[in-house]
Amino acid sequence: MFPTQDEISAWLPDLLGGLSISLQVTGLSLLIGIPFGLVLALGVLAKNRLLKGVSLFLVEVGRGAPALVLLQFIYFGLPSTGLTLSSFSAAIIALAWNTGAYTSEIIRASLQSVALGQREAAEALGLSRFDELRYVLLPQGLRVALPALLGFSILIFQGTSLCFTIALPELVSRAYEIGSTTFRYFPALLAAGVLYAAISIPAAFLVNHVEKRAGLYAQR
Amino acid sequence: MDGAILYLREDDRLHGRVQPAMMPASTDVLIRLKSLSKHYGTHIVLDGIDLDVRSGEVLAIIGPSGSGKSTLLRCINYLEPPDGGIITIGSMTIDAARPVARAELSGLRRRVGMVFQSFNLFPHMSVLRNVSLAQERVLGRSRAEADERSMQLLKRVGLADKAGQFPVRCSGGQQQRIAIARSLALDPEIMLFDEPTSALDPELGLEVLAVMRELAETGMTMIVVTHEMGFAENVSDTVMIMADGHIVEKGPSKDVMRNPQQERTKRFLRAVHDR
């Protein structure tokens, strides 16, 4: 049932290679997706109808379609329009879109949670819209959003396992490959599970810690 | 109380220890409102307000809740865009019936400072940053210039020692004095105060009133929406009573407060004194 010591030392380099790709995809998806989420949030809040419409469309598709469908669509579907992407690029585009769509709602809600008086004070002082956002709304809003954004980041890390279906050599596909050559599926997938947990559980503790600190700030 | 400026006691003026007008209000009109109006749906909040405020004048606006006092103040700096009427401030005229350009708005707000009931300091910035930020972003002062001016003003409101703290660490009265310093830092021509002491207990309110009194004595033009009858009577030059979106009565503060002419004013003042 459990992997032996020999198996572990034999599989580990491969599994860690897969984990490294999972983490790279997570990092890049968040790095692109969260700023994209901010742009979408501002777009949804915009008065301009076209901007608002396009942003809403991107948010609703990104949230409405399962991440697996987005992945499949971008990797297998787009080539028929003449656009062929590597599995790594396809994974990042799909997960960044998914991240952007979800985090835009988190960011929008947190910006709107900043007290109205803060906006009025900024306006009365004559700050421009951009300065109001940059110096007053974002620093306070993002502090509110931070725990939810970190929580979502853990979900995206786990979501990279879906990239197994587009032949990206990430952690699950490495474990699956080991299973198919050794017929030791259970121990191989178990080892992969332990590696996921080794990242996700400490990350969850971190989120809790951040949430408590953000709470302290909110009490004022 | 730790304010260095609190050399004036609340009753100093009453007893004639301070001359009522150290810097008398001039005769030039600084703010002129012509038929300023505002409604929410069918509810009329401001019903064609005409008002002149002279340079250096301190005008107190009193009246029952829902009379339009705060809305009037908020219309003057366009936090609430009025529906109609004309606002003239110095050489600048804004026709509220037409859409207002962003540049006009920032020009208006550069001339007009505003202090809120709930202070509205930025909680994520130090006290010094609160006072310096708009100087840098709006007036284009350097960080050093802005900080120097901020420290002068914090000293003036007796809070230089709080510069490095966060607003959370300050009492309500201290926060309001910081908010006053923040507005003054932009060198406004007019200061608007929207019930500046209503969120404070009486003692803390006193330290804010002392700062406002000192400001009045430097010749600052001020419009103050307030429930502080002592301030209205003793510090302001003019008192105006509002009810149902109208000006009921307006005149020299002592006259209006001690010898009101209108029935509505008498009723309001009686209610205040009976409390």
Side-chain angles (χ1 to χ4, degrees):
Chain A
M1 275 262 276
F2 294 101
T4 64
Q5 201 120 48
D6 286 349
E7 281 174 330
I8 291 175
S9 48
W11 300 345
L12 202 56
D14 222 14
L15 291 175
L16 285 179
L19 179 65
S20 153
I21 288 184
S22 296
L23 287 171
Q24 283 171 42
V25 170
T26 308
L28 282 170
S29 300
L30 294 173
L31 217 60
I32 298 167
I34 293 177
F36 183 48
L38 172 62
V39 171
L40 287 177
L42 296 176
V44 169
L45 291 173
K47 287 198 182 113
N48 184 309
R49 279 194 160 167
L50 180 70
L51 195 60
K52 194 184 180 95
V54 171
S55 308
L56 269 174
F57 174 78
L58 289 171
V59 170
E60 291 310 324
V61 172
R63 292 200 309 162
L68 185 59
V69 174
L70 286 180
L71 272 171
Q72 302 280 319
F73 174 75
I74 289 168
Y75 187 65
F76 295 112
L78 282 188
S80 64
T81 69
L83 185 64
T84 307
L85 295 164
S86 70
S87 59
F88 191 76
S89 313
I92 284 167
I93 291 174
L95 292 179
W97 186 354
N98 193 246
T99 303
Y102 274 98
T103 56
S104 77
E105 288 295 281
I106 297 173
I107 293 170
R108 182 188 57 76
S110 62
L111 284 179
Q112 287 180 322
S113 79
V114 176
L116 181 65
Q118 292 290 306
R119 187 171 288 201
E120 290 192 337
E123 273 182 41
L125 287 170
L127 291 180
S128 66
R129 283 268 164 81
F130 180 75
D131 282 350
E132 179 182 326
L133 188 70
R134 175 175 163 200
Y135 293 103
V136 180
L137 298 180
L138 276 182
Q140 296 185 66
L142 287 184
R143 215 179 272 236
V144 175
L146 194 60
L149 289 178
L150 288 175
F152 186 80
S153 304
I154 298 175
L155 287 181
I156 282 291
F157 169 61
Q158 292 168 346
T160 56
S161 60
L162 297 171
C163 301
F164 159 65
T165 62
I166 58 166
L168 183 74
E170 46 70 63
L171 185 50
V172 170
S173 50
R174 300 287 178 102
Y176 190 79
E177 213 175 272
I178 291 168
S180 66
T181 50
T182 60
F183 293 102
R184 299 269 291 151
Y185 283 103
F186 188 95
L189 287 167
L190 188 67
V194 168
L195 285 178
Y196 275 115
I199 303 283
S200 299
I201 293 174
F205 278 112
L206 177 72
V207 174
N208 270 339
H209 177 72
V210 169
E211 203 162 1
K212 273 188 200 131
R213 294 205 43 183
L216 281 181
Y217 168 82
Q219 280 171 13
R220 306 203 238 291
Chain B
M1 262 181 276
D2 52 351
I5 45 82
L6 299 180
Y7 46 77
L8 292 177
R9 286 221 320 267
E10 224 3 46
D11 54 352
D12 279 348
R13 238 187 206 191
L14 265 181
H15 297 117
R17 283 190 287 265
V18 176
Q19 290 308 306
M22 287 180 167
M23 266 201 197
S26 71
T27 47
D28 354 322
V29 172
L30 183 58
I31 310 174
R32 170 163 287 167
L33 308 180
K34 267 194 98 91
S35 18
L36 200 70
S37 61
K38 172 81 186 172
H39 57 81
Y40 298 117
T42 56
H43 178 61
I44 295 169
V45 190
L46 294 177
D47 193 6
I49 300 285
D50 293 310
L51 177 68
D52 283 356
V53 181
R54 284 164 291 126
S55 179
E57 181 177 349
V58 178
L59 169 69
I61 305 179
I62 61 176
S65 300
S67 58
K69 312 180 295 281
S70 286
T71 307
L72 177 62
L73 215 59
R74 294 161 58 83
C75 280
I76 293 175
N77 77 344
Y78 257 74
L79 277 183
E80 305 268 4
D83 299 319
I86 291 173
I87 301 174
T88 307
I89 294 178
S91 55
M92 177 180 201
T93 299
I94 292 180
D95 182 352
R98 277 195 236 125
V100 176
R102 194 81 201 162
E104 276 184 291
L105 263 192
S106 63
L108 174 70
R109 286 170 178 161
R110 196 176 284 201
R111 289 184 154 89
V112 181
M114 174 121 179
V115 173
F116 299 88
Q117 180 177 347
S118 49
F119 331 132
N120 297 349
L121 292 179
F122 304 129
H124 57 296
M125 293 177 197
S126 70
V127 166
L128 184 65
R129 251 349 253 152
N130 260 281
V131 185
S132 291
L133 177 70
Q135 294 182 61
E136 289 169 37
R137 304 303 306 173
V138 179
L139 300 183
R141 288 183 186 149
S142 71
R143 172 72 77 106
E145 272 177 301
D147 283 351
E148 195 189 325
R149 176 85 176 117
S150 301
M151 286 310 295
Q152 277 174 7
L153 285 163
L154 287 172
K155 216 171 274 168
R156 186 165 152 198
V157 300
L159 292 170
D161 57 322
K162 293 281 180 187
Q165 305 257 13
F166 281 84
V168 131
R169 293 265 169 206
C170 303
S171 73
Q174 291 171 335
Q175 290 195 39
Q176 192 62 298
R177 283 146 65 196
I178 294 160
I180 293 173
R182 180 174 71 172
S183 272
L184 288 176
L186 299 176
D187 303 323
E189 295 168 30
I190 302 144
M191 287 284 285
L192 308 178
F193 293 84
D194 190 4
E195 299 195 25
T197 56
S198 295
L200 301 170
D201 70 39
E203 276 189 328
L204 295 181
L206 213 59
E207 54 186 66
V208 172
L209 289 172
V211 169
M212 290 168 63
R213 178 192 280 250
E214 193 241 24
L215 193 58
E217 271 147 14
T218 62
M220 175 62 79
T221 310
M222 293 162 63
I223 304 181
V224 185
V225 169
T226 187
H227 292 297
E228 303 277 355
M229 297 302 141
F231 182 88
E233 184 167 339
N234 302 317
V235 182
S236 66
D237 304 297
T238 313
V239 170
M240 172 171 125
I241 315 247
M242 284 185 75
D244 305 321
H246 294 277
I247 299 173
V248 175
E249 188 166 352
K250 176 173 175 269
S253 50
K254 298 264 188 307
D255 296 354
V256 175
M257 297 302 286
R258 292 179 188 171
N259 188 20
Q261 300 301 309
Q262 300 294 323
E263 193 44 47
R264 187 69 189 88
T265 314
K266 289 179 190 164
R267 193 157 29 114
F268 176 71
L269 291 177
R270 228 180 1 252
V272 171
H273 289 134
D274 286 349
R275 272 164 62 90

